[in-house]
Amino acid sequence: MAKEKLTRAEQKIQRPLQILDAAFEEFIKRGFTATRVEDIAERVGVTKGTVYVYFETKEALFEAMVKHASLPFQEAFKAYTHKSDDPVEELHSLLEFLFDALVDNRKMRELFRLIVAEGAKFPELIDQHHDTLMVPVFARIDTILDEGVAKKRFRANPPELAKVVMSPMVGTLVFRLIFDDRRSLDRRAVLSIHLDLIMRGLLA
């Protein structure tokens, strides 16, 4: 059955999302400075003026694109509800989820690259990205660590430990960004070693 043609109203609703998706691909391909709004418009099949109807400047488009690209992860993280009476098992499960959602997800990897490369141009956006994306993750890890200490499963939860727990994952993400599929990476082995190292330091 042929797909029904979208109404004008439906096209209008989808247009800014199409522009944001196209902007993501152009920004990761060329970087902020080299990306032209007309190239983004061409990807969508609209004029440059149409892009400016929805986003007044290229800077505004970039900021909206970062928020748009990170939204699926935020929604998935909010929907993540795994709970266990054993803090060790709960931390294992959360790190596996984060590995899948961050390291194995192309869009999140490329978003990370953009943030590192363009962060100096958009410090307020990067701060907001940290607060909306990473702070909830660190808070969830801290909660599990605190529960583990209370149940005498973990030795302690010193300040900044949640960031250290995440650090090997960030290193693996960078490896994937640099080499993509040109160098082999056994994700299960990496995750297993990551968990083993973390638990060696945590377990009481």
Side-chain angles (χ1 to χ4, degrees):
M1 182 178 178
K3 186 177 180 180
E4 293 185 9
K5 188 175 181 180
L6 296 177
T7 66
R8 186 177 295 273
E10 289 171 333
Q11 289 177 345
K12 191 172 182 179
I13 291 171
Q14 290 195 11
R15 186 68 73 210
L17 301 180
Q18 293 170 341
I19 292 171
L20 290 172
D21 288 336
F24 176 82
E25 296 299 334
E26 286 296 322
F27 282 130
I28 66 172
K29 180 180 178 181
R30 308 175 192 275
F32 176 80
T33 301
T35 293
R36 304 185 310 165
V37 173
E38 46 263 57
D39 292 329
I40 296 171
E42 186 177 347
R43 272 185 179 265
V44 183
V46 299
T47 65
K48 181 170 70 172
T50 300
V51 176
Y52 284 125
V53 167
Y54 297 99
F55 308 98
E56 292 184 358
T57 64
K58 189 167 78 166
E59 289 78 9
L61 175 57
F62 183 86
E63 293 180 5
M65 179 276 300
V66 169
K67 295 173 183 177
H68 174 69
S70 64
L71 191 59
F73 172 79
Q74 293 181 56
E75 292 176 344
F77 184 71
K78 287 179 182 177
Y80 176 81
T81 57
H82 179 86
K83 187 72 177 174
S84 171
D85 291 334
D86 181 1
V88 173
E89 195 277 331
E90 190 170 1
L91 186 58
H92 272 232
S93 179
L94 178 60
L95 291 177
E96 286 183 358
F97 165 81
L98 292 172
F99 200 102
D100 290 340
L102 295 175
V103 178
D104 280 352
N105 186 295
R106 171 187 173 265
K107 180 164 276 192
M108 292 306 295
R109 289 199 309 270
E110 293 297 344
L111 185 60
F112 179 86
R113 187 204 302 273
L114 272 177
I115 288 170
V116 171
E118 311 292 353
K121 298 184 184 74
F122 301 91
E124 292 183 4
L125 174 65
I126 301 310
D127 288 344
Q128 186 180 49
H129 179 81
H130 174 269
D131 292 344
T132 58
L133 200 76
M134 298 313 302
V135 167
V137 173
F138 294 144
R140 182 77 65 93
I141 293 173
D142 267 328
T143 297
I144 297 172
L145 296 175
D146 286 340
E147 290 175 354
V149 173
K151 294 180 177 180
K152 302 187 186 305
R153 294 286 276 136
F154 299 150
R155 290 185 296 155
N157 181 19
E160 308 298 337
L161 180 57
K163 296 184 180 70
V164 175
V165 168
M166 284 287 292
S167 293
M169 194 174 300
V170 174
T172 305
L173 189 153
V174 171
F175 182 93
R176 289 289 305 275
L177 278 175
I178 294 172
F179 296 110
D180 196 19
D181 294 327
R182 299 193 308 278
R183 295 289 185 273
S184 62
L185 182 71
D186 187 336
R187 70 171 304 281
R188 299 311 307 177
V190 169
L191 181 57
S192 176
I193 294 168
H194 178 181
L195 291 169
D196 183 60
L197 288 172
I198 293 298
M199 292 307 165
R200 284 174 184 268
L202 285 177
L203 291 176

